[in-house]
């Protein structure tokens, strides 16, 4: 093998996947047709979930200078009235909920981050023409453009190939899967300028029947506008300075002094591939799903894919699971990506109408809805944004902790659990990331102390004591770490009590962890490498939960020598 994974495309999804594989100690080659990264702005919104993934990549400090936290989005009508404000508060996953960002500069940081890894290589000027799945490996052929302009063929042998080359993905086309959905014909002109003539922060989506528009303040003094084109306006008019000046007339005091980065026409797409995997060939990011810009979810959905797929590839490549684990990538990611497409299309349908009667009715409805503080808060807090929730995949429903035999009683049958404040399960959802203390850290973000591979965490218990020797060997084979969460007041006691067990004691400084275990009425949580909850249980059920989780992740058997080591 020349490498373990060939990643086709050095866009954000491919670069993120390569960084995560590098962090997990795997090898990959990124093949990119272009001679460099794309250098013009595209995505402008970066979510807290993505920042958490960048934290896993250990690139937060390099990325931060190209972001503005707490980006607020306002949907305004033609009269300038605010219909919806999105200004989500709090930092449940450890970061502000929304950042404005400059995509080419952040993507460049992801690219430069790859220099840390000896076994990750990026090759520009490599156009992939074929990816042959030969059963036990893949052969990827690329046409390589050389310095003198001539070309040659290169074939790379790998375990898996992942197409991350964007919406037109040749990898997806070779997989011969459907790309289901719509591509509305509405065209938009995007104009990015370096010298923001407004100096206003945040995002305005203008549902103006005279001409729907977007105006966004970005880091480094960049401003973006988008204007809808009417059917009788040819796309070529974007080259006409007078036409562009007329578009900007109501938006800028003097458009003649603008330092334009680019202006171009684009259309939106709402499409999703019917399959994300075929044998050793996978697709991720825009190659697997395309969505309109309205919720700023295209770039973020690619990050979610890279986050979900990277640890599964790393687990299979390490021999810790059979490759059916990779089927769970599509199982977990498809529906969430689809929900984001649907939400983004809905937003577009609110912004785009130009019929005055339709817009009048819409504005009236929004005024009525805004009279209710609860409705207002619902939108402000972005509770309409579908959060990833994996009902199927590498997850164990609390009532199915069945390892060979029926449990005497289901978890939810025990009295305290019946009284749980939160009736829906936390399994399949992202675990919070509060600030915590350990013997070595004060006020650290949780992931920075637990690491980013499997974690078995117990509230107020030493999880190491909850498993048999054989189960401990299985957890070691998975690379899991034992963590004990407890109130900060109890940490010195636990550090002395659990000394020598290898368990990390984590002090809950602001009650966020205690609140989580209390609300869900569980005693133990199995955290996946992507910080999603794989399983929960009561302390005494830990062995059964582990067995069910190992089934869900298609875990391989632990070699006898490792079993003997733990027993000894
Ligand atoms: O993420 C955000 O807040 C802005 C998303 C957005 C909305 C409209 C156009 C666009 O290019 C991005």
């Amino acid at each position: 093998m020349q490498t373990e994974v060939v990643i086709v495309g050095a866009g954000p999804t491919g670069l993120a996947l390569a960084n995560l594989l590098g962090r997990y100690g795997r090898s990959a080659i990124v093949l990119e047709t272009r001679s460099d990264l794309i250098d013009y702005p595209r995505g402008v919104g970066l979510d807290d979930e993505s920042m958490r993934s960048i934290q896993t990549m250990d690139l937060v400090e390099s990325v931060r200078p190209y972001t503005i936290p707490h980006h607020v989005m306002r949907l305004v009508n033609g009269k300038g009235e605010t219909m919806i404000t999105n200004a989500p508060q709090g930092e449940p996953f450890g970061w502000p909920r929304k950042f404005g960002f400059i995509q080419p500069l952040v993507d460049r940081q992801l690219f430069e981050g790859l220099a840390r890894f000896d076994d990750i290589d990026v090759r520009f000027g490599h156009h992939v023409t074929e990816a042959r799945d030969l059963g036990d490996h893949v052969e990827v052929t690329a046409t390589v453009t050389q310095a003198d302009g001539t070309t040659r063929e290169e074939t790379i042998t790998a375990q898996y190939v992942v197409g991350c080359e964007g919406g037109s993905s040749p990898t997806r086309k070779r997989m011969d899967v459907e790309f289901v959905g719509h591509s509305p014909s509405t065209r938009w002109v995007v104009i990015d300028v370096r010298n923001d003539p407004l100096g206003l922060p945040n995002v305005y989506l203008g549902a103006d029947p005279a001409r729907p528009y977007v105006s966004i303040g970005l880091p480094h003094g960049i401003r973006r506008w988008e204007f809808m084109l009417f059917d009788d306006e040819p796309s070529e008019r974007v080259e006409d300075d007078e036409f562009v000046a007329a578009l900007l007339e109501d938006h800028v005091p003097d458009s003649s002094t603008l330092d334009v980065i680019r202006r171009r026409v684009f259309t939106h797409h709402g499409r999703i591939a019917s399959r994300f995997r075929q044998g050793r060939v996978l697709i991720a990011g825009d190659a697997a799903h395309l969505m309109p810009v309205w919720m700023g979810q295209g770039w973020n959905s690619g990050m979610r894919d890279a986050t979900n797929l990277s640890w599964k590839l790393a687990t299979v490549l390490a021999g810790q699971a059979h490759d059916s684990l990779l089927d769970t990538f599509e199982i977990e990611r498809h529906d969430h990506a689809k929900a984001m497409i649907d939400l983004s299309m809905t937003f577009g349908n609110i912004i785009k109408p130009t019929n005055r009667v339709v817009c009048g009715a819409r504005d009236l409805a929004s005024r009525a809805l805004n009279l209710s503080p609860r409705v207002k808060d619902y939108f402000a807090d972005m509770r309409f944004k579908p959060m990833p929730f994996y009902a199927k995949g590498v997850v164990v429903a609390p009532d199915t902790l069945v390892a060979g035999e029926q449990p005497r009683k289901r978890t939810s049958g025990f009295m305290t659990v019946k009284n749980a404040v939160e009736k829906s399960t936390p399994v399949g959802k992202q675990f919070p990331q509060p600030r915590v203390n350990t013997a070595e850290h004060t006020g650290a973000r949780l992931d920075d102390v637990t690491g980013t591979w499997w974690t078995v965490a117990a509230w107020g218990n030493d999880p190491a004591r909850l498993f048999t020797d054989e189960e401990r060997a299985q957890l070691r084979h998975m690379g899991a770490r034992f963590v004990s969460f407890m109130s900060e007041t109890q940490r010195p006691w636990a550090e002395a009590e659990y000394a020598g067990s290898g368990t990390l004691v984590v002090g809950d400084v602001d009650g966020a962890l205690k609140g989580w275990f209390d609300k869900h009425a569980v005693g133990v949580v199995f955290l996946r490498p992507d910080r999603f909850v794989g399983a929960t249980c009561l302390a005494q059920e830990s062995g059964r939960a582990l067995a069910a989780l190992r089934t869900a992740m298609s875990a391989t058997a632990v070699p006898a020598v490792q079993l003997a080591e733990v027993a000894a």
Side-chain angles (χ1 to χ4, degrees), residues 191-252:
I191 303 168
D192 289 316
V193 300
R194 275 188 200 91
N195 54 343
D196 183 357
L198 308 182
L200 304 173
N202 295 324
V203 180
Y204 289 86
L205 305 188
D208 180 0
R211 186 183 298 273
Y213 68 90
V214 176
S215 176
I216 307 179
L218 291 171
H220 292 200
I222 294 177
R223 175 154 298 269
R224 162 170 302 179
W225 286 279
E226 288 164 32
F227 296 100
M228 197 177 94
L229 286 181
F230 292 105
D231 289 345
D232 59 354
E233 293 171 326
S235 300
E236 296 70 44
R237 294 204 69 186
V238 71
E239 305 302 337
D240 173 352
D241 290 343
E242 269 181 41
F243 178 69
V244 171
L247 287 178
L248 290 167
E249 197 174 20
D250 289 340
H251 295 265
V252 193

Side-chain angles (χ1 to χ4, degrees), residues 293-320:
V293 289
W294 309 114
M295 299 308 300
Q297 288 301 315
W299 193 90
N300 291 294
S301 295
M303 288 299 123
R304 290 188 193 100
D305 285 355
T307 306
N308 189 288
L309 181 56
S310 55
W311 72 265
K312 294 175 181 175
L313 279 169
T315 300
V316 171
L317 291 166
Q320 294 166 340

Side-chain angles (χ1 to χ4, degrees), residues 13-84:
T13 306
L15 294 172
L17 182 60
N19 270 287
L20 290 164
L21 288 171
R23 290 283 285 161
Y24 297 144
R26 308 317 311 182
S27 65
I29 295 176
V30 183
L31 300 178
E32 169 59 51
T33 301
R34 293 166 183 269
S35 55
D36 201 350
L37 302 182
I38 296 179
D39 66 353
Y40 50 80
R42 284 157 293 143
V44 295
L46 191 157
D47 289 359
D48 52 350
E49 301 164 63
S50 296
M51 194 54 101
R52 194 174 188 178
S53 298
I54 291 168
Q55 183 187 353
T56 304
M57 295 172 214
D58 200 15
L59 289 176
V60 167
E61 290 315 315
S62 346
V63 161
R64 244 207 253 246
Y66 311 108
T67 66
I68 296 176
H70 308 291
H71 224 206
V72 171
M73 185 171 89
R74 294 195 183 87
L75 176 64
V76 296
N77 66 18
K79 297 189 181 73
E81 296 165 347
T82 301
M83 298 198 283
I84 291 175

